[in-house]
Amino acid sequence: MIKNLISMFKNKEIRNKILFTLAMLFVFRLGNGIPIPGINTDALMAGVADNSLIGMMNLLGGGALEKFSIFALGVGPYITASIIIQLLAMDVIPALTEMSKNGQQGRMQMDKITRYVSVILGFFQAYTMTYAFDVNYSILTNSSVSSYLFIATILTAGTCFLVWIGDRISQFGIGNGVSIIIFAGIVSNLPWQFISAFKTLVDTSSGAAAFGGVVSFIILVAMYIAIIVLVIFMNEAVRKIPIQYTSSGLRSQGKSVNYLPLKINSASVIPVIFASAVMIAPVTIMSFFEANSFTTSLTKILDFSKPLGLCIYVVLVILFTFFYTNLQVDPKQIAENLNKQGTYILGIRPGSETVAYVSKVLNRITVLGALFLAAIAALPYLLPMFTNIPSSISIGGTGIIIVVGVALETVKDLEGQLTQKVYRGFVHR
């Protein structure tokens, strides 16, 4: 690992890409610290600390929401728009389905549509969020429609700028730009979270209390490390299905075996984002109406920190995991690709039997992936229920999944570029 790191910085092209990515992230962090004028950030931070729904939005926004900065929306609207367009391209809208099959040109057209949709979603989300926060927490010094429109325009422009930064990172830097931005937002909050946890748990009024607090803090850090190891294991875990080449010229030589790998968690963190959005949306809509017994009851039911709301959240995560996995991994497409490559699954006939077998294996391993994802997503809300750890410092399983996933993909991308440079240099010699 250290050898690869040294080799990356010795390579001029890769070093420039790393420095460019860091420069773009500096711009992102600088914008995160610029609040929108006329906002009472103290009232908003109190709301973020007390409301688990807002806390989830703040996590996905990299902590910019509690400051209500110009990047408060983050890249959330773009991600939501991307998911919507992907879903609609699954034989829902024929035009989008045709674009998805037209190679690079079709993907460029879909990306353009995604950006237009993200602007519309971003403006709607910014306006409703500003209105809801002002009604519930009185964050504006001047509450009016013009103020809401002004702030919504700034927040939408901030999202568009972040998407542009993500494009620049993808083109001239390392990794996927949008993922890197989300990664940087979450990681930048980790030092503050650990400092806050230490101050909350460690009571310096007496030696015994201080010792007990230090022990609790050490246990908390150990749990963080254990969850990171578990997330890495689940991200890398695959079910290997042995395959065989029909052509004698392509058969595996010797004792080497070829496999079709199916990931245990093919949906990544998308189901968690889906489930959070589904539970946040009704509460946001209810904020437009006057408080009554129905809206109050609905808000309590959909509260992550309450047992009923947490159960609904877990069920939604599991359902969305199966749904999105079957969208990402198409058994019929896998069977067609195997047939085109002249391969077949050992003991399974090509065609419909292969489709049925892959579907059965995929559903079985997705059970494990869905349960793992639901457990990690529910952990931050379970700990305060059964321990004395405050909800403000509980372990953020969703953030860890995002951070670990992006880190692993970025490292693989860097190692791939480094290997490519090594082979290119060997050929030139």
Side-chain angles (χ1 to χ4, degrees):
M1 181 64 186
I2 297 177
K3 183 179 179 181
N4 287 340
L5 188 63
I6 295 174
S7 299
M8 290 174 190
F9 278 94
K10 283 184 177 180
N11 187 289
K12 182 179 179 181
E13 185 175 343
I14 296 179
R15 182 174 67 248
N16 289 339
K17 288 184 176 182
I18 294 175
L19 294 177
F20 179 83
T21 302
L22 294 176
M24 291 294 99
L25 292 180
F26 174 77
V27 174
F28 163 62
R29 292 304 302 163
L30 185 65
N32 261 9
I34 302 176
I36 295 176
I39 299 295
N40 184 356
T41 54
D42 292 335
L44 182 59
M45 290 180 71
V48 172
D50 296 336
N51 192 309
S52 58
L53 295 175
I54 302 175
M56 173 64 73
M57 295 169 63
N58 184 56
L59 169 68
L60 297 177
L65 182 59
E66 63 184 6
K67 305 169 189 173
F68 219 75
S69 72
I70 59 176
F71 293 156
L73 287 182
V75 292
Y78 178 76
I79 294 174
T80 304
S82 300
I83 294 171
I84 292 174
I85 297 300
Q86 286 181 18
L87 294 177
L88 294 179
M90 300 290 181
D91 296 325
V92 177
I93 297 180
L96 291 177
T97 305
E98 188 66 24
M99 288 181 191
S100 65
K101 298 178 180 178
N102 286 341
Q104 182 64 23
Q105 184 177 359
R107 285 193 294 270
M108 290 176 64
Q109 291 176 334
M110 289 183 64
D111 187 56
K112 184 182 294 185
I113 295 173
T114 301
R115 292 168 191 272
Y116 287 133
V117 174
S118 66
V119 171
I120 297 172
L121 289 177
F123 188 86
F124 175 77
Q125 182 181 343
Y127 187 92
T128 55
M129 183 178 68
T130 304
Y131 177 83
F133 285 173
D134 189 41
V135 170
N136 290 284
Y137 306 113
S138 301
I139 64 171
L140 292 182
T141 55
N142 179 24
S143 300
S144 63
V145 175
S146 60
S147 296
Y148 298 150
L149 292 174
F150 172 72
I151 294 174
T153 302
I154 293 177
L155 292 177
T156 306
T159 294
C160 294
F161 184 67
L162 282 183
V163 174
W164 180 84
I165 288 178
D167 288 341
R168 301 283 76 74
I169 293 176
S170 299
Q171 187 174 357
F172 303 108
I174 56 172
N176 181 284
V178 173
S179 299
I180 292 291
I181 288 174
I182 299 175
F183 170 88
I186 297 174
V187 170
S188 63
N189 275 345
L190 286 180
W192 177 86
Q193 288 180 0
F194 281 110
I195 293 173
S196 176
F198 185 83
K199 290 181 179 179
T200 303
L201 295 175
V202 179
D203 184 5
T204 57
S205 59
S206 64
F211 178 77
V214 170
V215 172
S216 298
F217 179 75
I218 293 174
I219 293 175
L220 182 69
V221 174
M223 292 180 68
Y224 256 103
I225 297 173
I227 291 175
I228 290 173
V229 172
L230 180 61
V231 169
I232 293 174
F233 174 77
M234 290 300 297
N235 267 2
E236 297 297 301
V238 294
R239 167 71 160 83
K240 294 182 178 180
I241 301 177
I243 59 175
Q244 178 66 55
Y245 287 96
T246 56
S247 173
S248 59
L250 296 174
R251 279 182 191 157
S252 303
Q253 298 180 0
K255 296 183 179 181
S256 62
V257 181
N258 293 286
Y259 295 99
L260 171 67
L262 293 178
K263 295 189 69 173
I264 300 297
N265 180 25
S266 301
S268 186
V269 78
I270 297 298
V272 177
I273 299 176
F274 267 11
S276 303
V278 168
M279 295 190 68
I280 291 172
V283 178
T284 304
I285 294 172
M286 288 298 104
S287 65
F288 282 93
F289 302 95
E290 292 185 6
N292 52 50
S293 58
F294 173 74
T295 58
T296 303
S297 300
L298 181 62
T299 302
K300 290 181 179 179
I301 289 174
L302 297 179
D303 190 351
F304 295 101
S305 61
K306 301 296 189 296
L308 180 57
L310 186 59
C311 289
I312 296 174
Y313 178 52
V314 168
V315 171
L316 286 175
V317 169
I318 293 174
L319 292 178
F320 278 127
T321 301
F322 278 93
F323 175 72
Y324 196 74
T325 297
N326 282 276
L327 286 179
Q328 290 291 101
V329 184
D330 185 3
K332 185 177 180 181
Q333 187 66 40
I334 291 176
E336 291 178 357
N337 291 338
L338 290 175
N339 190 39
K340 290 177 182 177
Q341 295 170 5
T343 58
Y344 64 93
I345 298 174
L346 294 178
I348 306 296
R349 291 182 178 179
S352 59
E353 288 191 17
T354 298
V355 175
Y357 179 78
V358 173
S359 298
K360 182 176 70 174
V361 173
L362 184 64
N363 287 329
R364 285 181 176 178
I365 63 176
T366 302
V367 171
L368 182 60
L371 293 176
F372 159 76
L373 201 59
I376 293 296
L379 188 61
Y381 311 104
L382 282 174
L383 286 179
M385 293 181 185
F386 301 102
T387 66
N388 60 350
I389 298 177
S391 58
S392 58
I393 63 172
S394 59
I395 298 175
T398 305
I400 292 177
I401 295 174
I402 296 173
V403 167
V404 171
V406 175
L408 290 175
E409 290 300 321
T410 304
V411 169
K412 289 179 181 178
D413 180 49
L414 279 172
E415 290 179 346
Q417 291 188 36
L418 183 62
T419 303
Q420 184 180 14
K421 299 299 178 185
V422 170
Y423 279 114
R424 185 182 300 174
F426 176 76
V427 171
H428 285 329
R429 290 190 185 93

